Amino acid sequence: MAASDRPGGLTALSVLNGFFALAVGGTTIERFMTSYDLMEVAEGEVRGRGWRREYLQSLLDEGLTPMDLQILAVIGLVATLLLLVSIWGLLKRSNLIGRWLGTLGGIALAAFYILSIEWLPQTFLRGNGLSIARQIFYPLFLIFMLHVIFRRDFLQAQGKTG
Amino acid sequence: MIPIRHVLLHAQKLIIHSLRTGSGVAFIFLTILIGLSLANLSITPVELGFTTAEEFRESASKAIGFALATASLRMGGEDENGPPDTDILSRMDSGDLIDLGMWARYLIQDNPMLLSITVLLLGVVLPLLLPLGSFTAISSDVQHRTVRYLLPRTSRLSLLVGRWLGTLILSWVLILLLLFSVVVYLSIMLPPEATESMVPWAGRCFFSLCCLATPYVSLGVLCSAVFRVPMVALLAAVGATVGTPLLALSLQEAWDPLGNLLYLLPWGYSHELLSPDGDKVFKAVAYSMGHSLLFMTLAAWRFRRADL
């Protein structure tokens, strides 16, 4: 069997893409669920335990709308899908699916976290500030790696197949 | 005489190669991830309102004083006049350890507390992460025998020093990135008057962490030069880093002077890099450089004689 000449860093990036896709996917589900809970609280439907309702009410009072959360969830969903699809592209060193979908996934991931900081109230974000900073680091790192360190690998692989 | 151009070229190639390998990506990612997690750990109690800043300052001051006393008294343990069974806390309370109290106060009261705590935690964790960046510096090429293609064009010493320099620069850049992220976040979170002294103190912390990183990177390069298989080199570097304090603490119970085994690595003095006393800082920096020089001399000696 011939040894693969794919750089180990690309394999590591594909693993990290999977890890972050799962992380942002989980947060996306949570955003969707919270948005539906917020809608129910806004419509006056009594549901769940008291503290949860009070918490959701406080979010509404701070100006958070279900629509904000749904937009964030959609961006998160796009980021999850792009990152997941790009795993295959990174492993195959595909310029379009690996490099460019990975880049779009990175941009969507960064947008998801930056808009979270911009839109979500402090009550929602408290204690998560540096985790968000940590998560913003990855998209920047991914884009840097895809366009500076591994650029030539993708173009060479494209030249061979094309 | 080592050709500087060769050394710089090897350093540059190592940095680029590190970014392309799986271990390099893991090193960068884990260092940033764990570093920011540690910062998060120190900031979260205040941010979530579990405790007030003053209460946190008080308890952190005691905890740091205790940790400094535990670390510092090892060297002077025999000179202390107090009875051997007197515990550190009661000695702190009685004013016996007033210098250490001042030291803790310097870190917590006189300088940005959250940054100091983050840097102290990094001082414990970085030595375990740094071997990840250096274990392939030499051993990877030796294992795959690709080093044979390099040596007709360059000397073994240039290769060793260049790769050490590349690993060191990469580690320093990561430390800089980490501190930058923490400082930017704290500057956003804290009121402006609390962040005035943040940048100079961050500069001092950066200097301390760079000095701390140098001997551990050298140790990683030494292990990489000694062992042909990269994973064995990694195991040796991490094993030595973790094993030395454990061994020293265990053997000290049997015979007190054996506790000085701790000084085989910078564990025994690295905390003094953040001391308010300039002399102690100077000594700690000198010891760090001495350790680095020793490790690199051993690495050069081993690498020059290696059958490649």
Side-chain angles (χ1 to χ4, degrees):
Chain A
M1 188 189 290
S4 166
D5 58 348
R6 181 179 62 234
L10 268 182
T11 315
L13 273 186
S14 65
V15 172
L16 289 174
N17 266 10
F19 172 76
F20 274 89
L22 291 178
V24 79
T27 317
T28 297
I29 294 170
E30 191 259 335
R31 295 275 187 274
F32 268 127
M33 288 169 69
T34 310
S35 78
Y36 291 124
D37 287 350
L38 270 184
M39 275 195 277
E40 285 175 354
V41 171
E43 285 163 9
E45 289 179 27
V46 181
R47 187 166 177 270
R49 285 192 298 184
W51 66 267
R52 175 75 178 160
R53 205 172 56 249
E54 277 174 25
Y55 169 68
L56 292 169
Q57 188 60 53
S58 74
L59 293 180
L60 284 171
D61 294 342
E62 287 188 69
L64 182 68
T65 64
M67 182 59 85
D68 293 341
L69 284 178
Q70 281 167 5
I71 293 171
L72 281 177
V74 169
I75 296 171
L77 189 64
V78 171
T80 307
L81 292 175
L82 288 172
L83 289 175
L84 283 176
V85 173
S86 69
I87 292 173
W88 184 77
L90 290 179
L91 293 175
K92 291 285 170 196
R93 278 182 294 167
S94 157
N95 192 41
L96 178 68
I97 300 173
R99 186 162 159 234
W100 286 107
L101 286 192
T103 306
L104 290 177
I107 292 169
L109 192 61
F112 178 76
Y113 289 121
I114 290 169
L115 289 176
S116 295
I117 296 171
E118 280 292 311
W119 290 355
L120 299 181
Q122 279 302 310
T123 346
F124 203 91
L125 289 177
R126 203 181 290 149
N128 291 315
L130 265 176
S131 323
I132 289 175
R134 194 171 55 208
Q135 281 146 347
I136 288 176
F137 160 77
Y138 181 66
L140 300 178
F141 179 64
L142 175 69
I143 292 168
F144 169 77
M145 296 297 274
L146 292 179
H147 288 273
V148 179
I149 304 296
F150 296 120
R151 180 175 171 270
R152 201 173 288 174
D153 295 272
F154 286 111
L155 295 179
Q156 277 174 357
Q158 190 184 30
K160 276 182 194 170
T161 54
Chain B
M1 188 67 188
I2 311 170
I4 300 294
R5 225 182 100 251
H6 278 203
V7 170
L8 294 178
L9 199 64
H10 288 310
Q12 185 196 354
K13 292 287 173 197
L14 180 120
I15 293 172
I16 294 170
H17 182 70
S18 288
L19 290 170
R20 290 176 59 80
T21 59
S23 61
V25 171
F27 169 57
I28 294 167
F29 186 74
L30 279 178
T31 307
I32 296 287
L33 191 81
I34 293 174
L36 287 177
S37 300
L38 288 177
N40 206 15
L41 195 71
S42 58
I43 291 166
T44 302
V46 180
E47 203 182 12
L48 282 177
F50 290 152
T51 177
T52 63
E54 280 313 308
E55 283 171 358
F56 189 66
R57 195 183 297 274
E58 187 71 26
S59 49
S61 186
K62 276 185 184 164
I64 289 175
F66 182 76
L68 289 174
T70 311
S72 302
L73 291 178
R74 304 182 49 74
M75 198 154 58
E78 289 172 347
D79 304 330
E80 298 297 332
N81 296 322
D85 57 343
T86 311
D87 72 316
I88 291 168
L89 275 178
S90 60
R91 287 174 67 189
M92 280 178 86
D93 288 342
S94 65
D96 190 17
L97 304 177
I98 197 143
D99 282 352
L100 296 172
M102 293 290 286
W103 191 351
R105 185 187 157 80
Y106 170 72
L107 293 174
I108 295 297
Q109 310 267 356
D110 301 349
N111 286 299
M113 166 182 68
L114 295 174
L115 188 58
S116 298
I117 296 172
T118 305
V119 170
L120 286 172
L121 290 173
L122 281 176
V124 177
V125 174
L126 269 183
L128 305 178
L129 290 172
L130 290 170
L132 272 177
S134 52
F135 77 102
T136 52
I138 303 290
S139 57
S140 176
D141 275 329
V142 173
Q143 186 191 33
H144 297 114
R145 299 183 191 280
T146 43
V147 73
R148 290 178 181 186
Y149 302 106
L150 289 169
L151 289 177
R153 297 174 186 83
T154 187
S155 71
R156 292 189 184 200
L157 196 58
S158 310
L159 187 71
L160 183 79
V161 175
R163 294 201 167 176
W164 169 76
L165 186 65
T167 315
L168 201 58
I169 291 172
L170 189 64
S171 306
W172 286 352
V173 168
L174 284 181
I175 292 169
L176 183 67
L177 268 176
L178 253 177
L179 284 180
F180 177 75
S181 314
V182 175
V183 168
V184 167
Y185 181 71
L186 287 177
S187 307
I188 294 167
M189 198 185 86
L190 298 173
E193 61 271 16
T195 55
E196 275 171 10
S197 55
M198 191 80 81
V199 174
W201 183 238
R204 168 79 194 278
C205 292
F206 174 63
F207 172 74
S208 302
L209 288 176
C210 286
C211 289
L212 173 74
T214 311
Y216 287 107
V217 167
S218 309
L219 175 70
V221 173
L222 169 64
C223 291
S224 189
V226 169
F227 299 101
R228 286 171 172 269
V229 182
M231 287 315 286
V232 177
L234 176 65
L235 201 67
V238 174
T241 308
V242 178
T244 302
L246 291 179
L247 197 69
L249 291 173
S250 318
L251 292 177
Q252 193 189 22
E253 297 295 321
W255 190 40
D256 214 36
L258 285 177
N260 290 325
L261 282 176
L262 193 69
Y263 293 91
L264 285 175
L265 287 179
W267 286 116
Y269 59 80
S270 56
H271 56 285
E272 293 189 349
L273 288 165
L274 282 176
S275 168
D277 184 351
D279 282 347
K280 281 186 176 174
V281 176
F282 180 75
K283 277 184 188 167
V285 172
Y287 288 149
S288 292
M289 296 307 124
H291 254 130
S292 309
L293 194 65
L294 175 70
F295 292 148
M296 285 308 291
T297 308
L298 287 174
W301 177 76
R302 178 70 184 82
F303 191 51
R304 284 177 76 167
R305 278 160 181 72
D307 177 14
L308 302 173

